[in-house]
Amino acid sequence: MSTDTPQSPIATATLDIQRDKGITAARGFAATGIAAGIKASGNKDLALVVNNGTERPAAAVFTTNKVKAAPVLWSQQVMASRELRAVVLNSGGANACTGPQGFADTHHTAEEVAAALTDLGTPTGAVEIAVCSTGLIGDFLPMPKVLAGVRTAASELSDNIEAGSSAAQAIMTTDSVPKQAACTHGDGWSVGGMAKGAGMLAPSLATMLCVVTTDAVATAEQLDTALRQATKYSFDRLDVDGATSTNDTVLLLSSGASGVSPSQRELNAAVAAICDDLADQLMADAEGVTKRVTVTVSGATSESEALIGARVVARDSLVKTALFGSDPNWGRVLAAIGIAPIALDPDKTSVYFNGNPVCLNGVGAPGAREVDLSDTDIALRIELGLGSGEATIRTTDLSLGYVTENSAYSS
Amino acid sequence: MSTDTPQSPIATATLDIQRDKGITAARGFAATGIAAGIKASGNKDLALVVNNGTERPAAAVFTTNKVKAAPVLWSQQVMASRELRAVVLNSGGANACTGPQGFADTHHTAEEVAAALTDLGTPTGAVEIAVCSTGLIGDFLPMPKVLAGVRTAASELSDNIEAGSSAAQAIMTTDSVPKQAACTHGDGWSVGGMAKGAGMLAPSLATMLCVVTTDAVATAEQLDTALRQATKYSFDRLDVDGATSTNDTVLLLSSGASGVSPSQRELNAAVAAICDDLADQLMADAEGVTKRVTVTVSGATSESEALIGARVVARDSLVKTALFGSDPNWGRVLAAIGIAPIALDPDKTSVYFNGNPVCLNGVGAPGAREVDLSDTDIALRIELGLGSGEATIRTTDLSLGYVTENSAYSS
């Protein structure tokens, strides 16, 4: 894909991504997804992921929002040990802005998971359990249903592929399809993942949650390095509307069950490939979306300046509404990049839609208004002509569907 | 209005604002607005404002966008003298991103105005003429029509009230009504103004242009002080979608024709009152708007932190779609303020809709989901509980109309 940044850790070596399997593609993991009755719809709403490996190193990335949900505050503490025995995830409620009672509810959920796993034969403490929640902000979870659901889920754990898919279904909110991906390295180790949401498309409910598993032998440090590189170039560069959830959480767990110790570079590549594929699925399923858009800024004085510029354009409501209308309105692109806090010379700035020049060195190109943007995929490139910095943001259009869906949810 | 910031220079002393008159309410100014044929619709599209005072001090504020239209680049040079004999404004084309030819076109327009005014009996140079343009970015102006229009406008100049209103009409793009305001101080001097646009609601055409006139005797320095204070608390705090035009221009001209020299404080108050009223009219007329919203952040560590916070919330697509749906979704407000780069303690943060508490110290308040937001006016207040910094941003909802109008314009 021409919009990949040259700095992406995704290996050029072939990693065959499969979307019909997810977290249980890595050996040593069991999972399940059940309907605990948290969602009024009766759909699946509670997922459990258990690491049955003898070593359980883990890494995590959490939301940078200063307003953090109770499960994020809990899981941040749990991750101090850099180990995870299990992750419990619920949809149907974010447990955010719920104060001390909300935190106690999260703690209680982790205790129930630990007790259930202990009853299954492996002594487990609550401090080994990460908790993730997604749904409307501000409501308390129906704890009797959550706790009963934890017990049911523990009794139905399985390491088969269907169990992983079931977990991916249970974390969906407005997602129209479950999102999972897996790949197996030639040396016999695998990485699997599941995700929900769409980069805060609807922050009341579309928190980005992601669990990635691997049976590679790796230390917590190696996992942390791989996860941070992967999220930097995938989820961190998916920007639907500039929003950042109170609940965003990405976890990477290793069971070591393959017995194979990949190099850091190999691990990075596999984890990045899974995260990149999941980010692509999130963009494609964003609510109300009619266009899948990549905004690339090239020729910036640095990669970080390119990233800032691409993000500003990707968040610009006027650019996004023009794209919804398949309108090659390059003037809005220039107006948007012009307010980015980066080095910029209008007379050196050019704009391309799907490779067609629409503005060259600050002046409209012949035929610019006739460029066809009717396809679903739109690649927008802004060349600043100042240096070699380049970065790409995945985003979407701003559609009537986005407004409709986001104006009518909580009520 | 409870959302006025305490720092606003708007005097508590009564200044009766009248909206049926504008720039010609100040003595010493002549104006007109004509249909020059720039707009395909045949509507008025060229306005001329002439200062017939013996002294012609002036002040200006221009867009901070790095991509500046030719008329902005021209007018910035003209303002080096801090004097203006006249302003010529056109709708129907922004003359932005038009390169050297676009700049030459602006220069030519100013020369034509100077020649026309010279022919009328007062020797005038192009360097005394400010030029403002608004419309689609990227197209060249139809110069024969513009130049002929300048001659027609010069021949129809008048100092009556209707002439000022005619000019206000000629600068409209998607504005549904012309916007003007005037007030007269008890000492016998007046300030009048006209504006168009809606804070970059549609940057291809909704550039914010504003001309303010006064017959008070004032130096260019005094005008500059008054204008900067006024725009800081009015147009700078109107944020419909975070966009900033390539063409935004606000001008203040004094004829001194009243012979009265007000104090700086009096001048500040009157200019601020006119700009504040015009900003209110811009918000009310923003395209596709169904809600007029004020976002106030109070209890911040400083006014500037409050302003940053209010702006972040006012730009949040998810908050704005919720308001469109009359949905008191305070969780989105907390998620939005949580990503503002300011000091914030979630446990001390409270949210009020129209005075009703919906979140107190980070936790939902009883009845929060039942707060009625069905009225057109919504006052959102976020109390941070950290200090005494307070600021208010005027904004709007994100409506289906906004998407419809902005996705279908240039095509």
Side-chain angles (χ1 to χ4, degrees):
Chain A
M1 190 172 174
S2 63
T3 51
D4 274 343
T5 60
Q7 304 84 354
S8 169
I10 301 170
T12 49
T14 310
L15 275 170
D16 187 25
I17 306 285
Q18 296 175 282
R19 290 184 173 177
D20 58 352
K21 53 183 74 172
I23 50 173
T24 50
R27 282 164 288 176
F29 290 93
T32 192
I34 64 149
I38 308 169
K39 284 181 179 168
S41 65
N43 290 339
K44 288 183 180 180
D45 50 21
L46 192 140
L48 187 58
V49 184
V50 176
N51 185 351
N52 286 319
T54 49
E55 302 288 325
R56 297 155 192 154
V61 174
F62 297 103
T63 181
T64 55
N65 199 306
K66 294 186 189 74
V67 179
K68 292 174 171 57
V72 170
L73 296 171
W74 169 265
S75 299
Q76 283 183 317
Q77 293 185 20
V78 164
M79 284 306 299
S81 70
R82 310 186 83 168
E83 290 191 347
L84 280 183
R85 164 74 168 136
V87 186
V88 59
L89 313 93
N90 76 273
S91 52
N95 196 9
C97 304
T98 47
Q101 185 188 324
F103 190 81
D105 286 347
T106 292
H107 184 183
H108 200 172
T109 304
E111 286 183 324
E112 196 72 10
V113 172
L117 296 179
T118 300
D119 289 350
L120 289 174
T122 307
T124 306
V127 297
E128 301 173 78
I129 314 297
V131 181
C132 301
S133 299
T134 177
L136 192 64
I137 294 174
D139 289 338
F140 293 105
L141 291 174
M143 287 308 294
K145 293 177 180 175
V146 171
L147 300 180
V150 164
R151 288 289 176 168
T152 303
S155 72
E156 296 183 6
L157 285 166
S158 163
D159 61 2
N160 66 24
I161 291 303
E162 290 70 30
S165 300
S166 182
Q169 286 168 26
I171 60 174
M172 292 166 60
T173 52
T174 54
D175 307 70
S176 68
V177 291
K179 295 156 187 87
Q180 52 181 358
C183 64
T184 298
H185 192 274
D187 291 347
W189 54 277
S190 298
V191 177
M194 66 177 186
K196 62 80 51 181
M200 272 304 273
L201 231 189
S204 295
L205 41 67
T207 289
M208 215 287 292
L209 298 182
C210 177
V211 177
V212 180
T213 57
T214 182
D215 51 20
V217 177
T219 64
E221 287 73 15
Q222 288 176 306
L223 296 179
D224 187 69
T225 299
L227 186 63
R228 288 185 187 282
Q229 282 218 27
T231 55
K232 177 179 176 185
Y233 292 100
S234 56
F235 305 122
D236 286 355
R237 296 192 180 183
L238 172 66
D239 196 323
V240 170
D241 51 19
T244 305
S245 162
T246 52
N247 291 55
D248 288 342
T249 303
V250 183
L251 300 169
L252 172 59
L253 294 75
S254 165
S255 68
S258 72
V260 180
S261 300
S263 69
Q264 183 73 54
R265 181 187 164 84
E266 289 170 323
L267 185 65
N268 290 355
V271 173
I274 293 301
C275 289
D276 189 70
D277 192 79
L278 290 171
D280 213 48
Q281 294 184 50
L282 290 171
M283 173 173 70
D285 196 31
E287 295 157 26
V289 157
T290 75
K291 301 286 189 184
R292 296 187 296 257
V293 182
T294 55
V295 178
T296 300
V297 169
S298 58
T301 56
S302 68
E303 184 196 347
S304 65
E305 291 236 324
L307 185 59
I308 291 167
R311 205 178 284 281
V312 166
V313 174
R315 289 180 179 181
D316 189 88
S317 292
L318 291 151
V319 170
K320 293 161 85 84
T321 46
L323 296 178
F324 170 59
S326 299
D327 177 1
N329 194 327
W330 59 269
R332 293 187 182 180
V333 176
L334 271 193
I337 194 76
I339 58 172
I342 61 172
L344 181 141
D345 179 346
D347 296 337
K348 292 182 178 175
T349 303
S350 299
V351 178
Y352 302 80
F353 280 120
N354 292 339
N356 302 293
V358 288
C359 170
L360 293 172
N361 297 315
V363 181
R369 303 254 184 252
E370 282 71 53
V371 170
D372 182 7
L373 298 185
S374 59
D375 280 355
T376 302
D377 290 290
I378 297 177
L380 165 58
R381 176 180 289 267
I382 303 144
E383 166 62 42
L384 300 183
L386 300 176
S388 60
E390 179 171 333
T392 296
I393 292 281
R394 285 182 173 100
T395 189
T396 62
D397 57 345
L398 174 49
S399 65
L400 291 173
Y402 176 91
V403 175
T404 300
E405 296 196 32
N406 285 299
S407 62
Y409 177 66
S410 87
S411 52
Chain B
M1 190 173 176
S2 64
T3 52
D4 273 343
T5 60
Q7 305 84 355
S8 170
I10 302 171
T12 49
T14 310
L15 276 169
D16 187 26
I17 306 284
Q18 296 175 281
R19 290 184 174 178
D20 58 352
K21 53 183 74 172
I23 49 174
T24 50
R27 281 164 288 177
F29 289 93
T32 192
I34 64 150
I38 308 168
K39 283 180 179 170
S41 65
N43 289 338
K44 289 183 178 179
D45 50 21
L46 191 138
L48 187 58
V49 185
V50 176
N51 184 351
N52 287 319
T54 49
E55 302 288 321
R56 297 155 192 155
V61 174
F62 297 102
T63 182
T64 55
N65 200 308
K66 294 188 189 74
V67 180
K68 292 174 172 54
V72 169
L73 296 171
W74 168 265
S75 299
Q76 283 182 319
Q77 293 186 21
V78 164
M79 283 306 300
S81 70
R82 309 184 82 167
E83 290 191 347
L84 280 183
R85 165 74 169 136
V87 185
V88 58
L89 313 92
N90 76 274
S91 52
N95 195 9
C97 304
T98 45
Q101 185 188 325
F103 189 82
D105 287 346
T106 292
H107 184 183
H108 201 173
T109 304
E111 286 183 325
E112 196 72 10
V113 172
L117 295 179
T118 300
D119 290 349
L120 288 175
T122 306
T124 306
V127 296
E128 302 172 76
I129 313 297
V131 181
C132 301
S133 299
T134 177
L136 192 64
I137 296 173
D139 289 338
F140 293 105
L141 290 174
M143 287 309 292
K145 293 178 180 175
V146 171
L147 300 180
V150 164
R151 287 290 177 169
T152 303
S155 72
E156 296 182 6
L157 284 167
S158 163
D159 61 3
N160 66 23
I161 293 302
E162 291 69 31
S165 300
S166 181
Q169 287 169 24
I171 61 174
M172 292 166 61
T173 51
T174 55
D175 307 69
S176 67
V177 291
K179 294 156 188 86
Q180 52 182 356
C183 63
T184 298
H185 191 275
D187 292 346
W189 54 279
S190 299
V191 178
M194 66 176 187
K196 61 81 52 181
M200 270 305 270
L201 231 188
S204 295
L205 39 69
T207 287
M208 214 287 293
L209 298 183
C210 177
V211 177
V212 180
T213 57
T214 182
D215 51 21
V217 177
T219 64
E221 288 73 13
Q222 289 176 306
L223 296 179
D224 187 69
T225 299
L227 186 63
R228 287 184 188 282
Q229 282 218 27
T231 55
K232 178 179 176 185
Y233 291 99
S234 56
F235 305 122
D236 285 355
R237 295 191 180 185
L238 173 66
D239 196 323
V240 171
D241 52 17
T244 304
S245 162
T246 52
N247 291 57
D248 288 341
T249 302
V250 184
L251 300 169
L252 172 59
L253 294 74
S254 164
S255 69
S258 72
V260 180
S261 299
S263 69
Q264 182 73 53
R265 182 186 162 84
E266 289 170 323
L267 184 66
N268 289 355
V271 173
I274 293 301
C275 289
D276 190 68
D277 193 79
L278 290 171
D280 213 47
Q281 294 183 51
L282 291 171
M283 172 173 71
D285 195 32
E287 293 157 27
V289 157
T290 75
K291 301 286 188 184
R292 297 188 296 257
V293 182
T294 55
V295 178
T296 300
V297 169
S298 58
T301 56
S302 68
E303 183 196 347
S304 65
E305 291 236 325
L307 185 60
I308 292 166
R311 205 178 284 281
V312 167
V313 174
R315 289 179 178 181
D316 189 89
S317 293
L318 291 152
V319 170
K320 293 162 85 83
T321 47
L323 296 178
F324 170 58
S326 299
D327 178 0
N329 194 328
W330 59 267
R332 293 186 182 181
V333 176
L334 272 191
I337 194 76
I339 58 171
I342 60 173
L344 181 139
D345 179 346
D347 296 336
K348 293 182 179 175
T349 303
S350 300
V351 179
Y352 302 80
F353 280 121
N354 292 338
N356 303 292
V358 289
C359 170
L360 294 172
N361 297 316
V363 181
R369 303 253 184 254
E370 281 72 52
V371 170
D372 181 8
L373 298 184
S374 59
D375 279 354
T376 303
D377 290 290
I378 297 177
L380 166 57
R381 176 181 289 267
I382 302 143
E383 165 61 44
L384 300 183
L386 299 176
S388 60
E390 179 171 334
T392 296
I393 291 281
R394 285 181 173 102
T395 190
T396 61
D397 57 345
L398 174 48
S399 65
L400 292 172
Y402 176 93
V403 175
T404 300
E405 297 196 31
N406 284 299
S407 61
Y409 178 67
S410 89
S411 52

